[in-house]
Amino acid sequence: MGAVVTAVIAIAAVVLGWITIEMACKPCLETGRRAMDRALDPNYDPDDSPAANSTAPPTSEPLLADLSASTAAPAKAI
């Protein structure tokens, strides 16, 4: 019975670790998955215009958010 409990705890730890990584790295993972989907799409032709491809992301989409236009209040020094 002890081995079953250990196995269930180990599986739960792996699942929780996976969920944590997915949540922490979500923007990077989404960008990478979108790039892989586009690269593996047999109908994608990089020579075509982006408007012709429905799977291509818009070219005006920034890779990183503009941090200078943040609406959050500045942090106070302690």
Side-chain angles (χ1 to χ4, degrees), residues 16-41:
L16 288 175
W18 184 271
I19 291 171
T20 302
I21 291 172
E22 287 282 333
M23 289 174 57
C25 302
K26 186 175 183 175
C28 181
L29 291 172
E30 285 180 348
T31 304
R33 287 179 181 141
R34 191 169 44 228
M36 285 190 293
D37 288 343
R38 187 177 62 226
L40 296 174
D41 183 11

Side-chain angles (χ1 to χ4, degrees), residues 37-51:
D37 288 343
R38 187 177 62 226
L40 296 174
D41 183 11
N43 297 325
Y44 174 71
D45 184 8
D47 296 330
D48 288 345
S49 66

